[in-house]
Amino acid sequence: MNKNLKTKVLLCLIFLLPVIWSGCNKQDDGEDTAPITVYEKVGGTWNMLSLKMIDETAKTAGIKPEEMVITDQFNFGSFALTLNLDENNRPTTFLVSGNAPDLLPIEGYWNLDKAFPAADGTPIVISLYTDAEKTVTANQLRITSMPGATPQMELRLTHSSEGVAYVTYLYTLVSAN
């Protein structure tokens, strides 16, 4: 090998070795972080922003009006929902406060049907229970809009008789935390 070629190979190695060597180092950027659950997103106190009543019978029959905003009626503007979590961000109790009519139980226990949003977009269900064992369901609320960058969420409460929905309440709530 001639001297000129040896010099070029040596210079290439000098410049390439630090690049190759730096690719072997693993950067430690801290511990792995657990993903944020829906429990963490919905836990806390939520105040009423608006409440819409949807007449499912009128909607099906094509009768107007089928929807009505009732936030300013019957003291619904004072409604607040608190979803308490334990130290592990797991659901415990809930409390409804304000002077609004009792569409939901005043207090009890709650849970979600899943801890993470579904890939197919189906709403997550908040089940409200009257007992600590969570065997007696009082109501179910569907989360139709999840809190995120905007600290708001929408919940649907649908009443039905013999499997036929007749009224839905669409709660738009804003975080008080």
Side-chain angles (χ1 to χ4, degrees):
M1 207 186 252
N2 69 31
K3 184 177 177 184
N4 197 12
L5 184 58
K6 285 182 183 179
T7 306
K8 288 181 181 179
V9 169
L10 184 61
L11 282 175
C12 282
L13 286 174
I14 290 173
F15 288 113
L16 287 178
L17 275 178
V19 173
I20 293 170
W21 199 262
S22 69
C24 295
N25 294 334
K26 182 181 178 211
Q27 182 176 355
D28 181 15
D29 58 356
E31 294 181 24
D32 290 337
T33 303
I36 296 172
T37 65
V38 176
Y39 297 115
E40 294 172 81
K41 289 184 172 199
V42 302
T45 299
W46 296 88
N47 293 327
M48 177 69 67
L49 193 58
S50 72
L51 179 62
K52 185 186 295 185
M53 183 177 71
I54 303 163
D55 183 338
E56 299 291 350
T57 306
K59 190 174 173 182
T60 302
I63 301 169
K64 300 290 181 192
E66 58 188 45
E67 298 181 355
M68 183 176 13
V69 176
I70 59 173
T71 313
D72 296 330
Q73 299 175 25
F74 312 110
N75 290 319
F76 278 113
S78 68
F79 175 90
L81 173 64
T82 301
L83 300 169
N84 294 309
L85 299 169
D86 66 14
E87 62 278 350
N88 297 318
N89 289 319
R90 300 296 297 172
T92 58
T93 59
F94 74 89
L95 176 67
V96 173
S97 57
N99 297 319
D102 297 338
L103 296 177
L104 300 172
I106 300 296
E107 62 185 345
Y109 303 86
W110 71 284
N111 204 358
L112 297 175
D113 66 338
K114 46 190 161 273
F116 298 98
D120 64 2
T122 56
I124 294 173
V125 176
I126 299 174
S127 293
L128 304 178
Y129 301 94
T130 59
D131 62 322
E133 293 76 28
K134 299 179 181 174
T135 59
V136 181
T137 306
N139 279 99
Q140 290 188 321
L141 302 163
R142 286 174 171 48
I143 303 173
T144 56
S145 177
M146 187 72 64
T150 304
Q152 277 185 305
M153 87 171 145
E154 279 186 1
L155 302 176
R156 272 187 185 272
L157 170 64
T158 301
H159 290 288
S160 59
S161 176
E162 298 180 16
V164 178
Y166 59 88
V167 67
T168 296
Y169 296 96
L170 181 62
Y171 292 82
T172 303
L173 305 171
V174 63
S175 176
N177 303 331

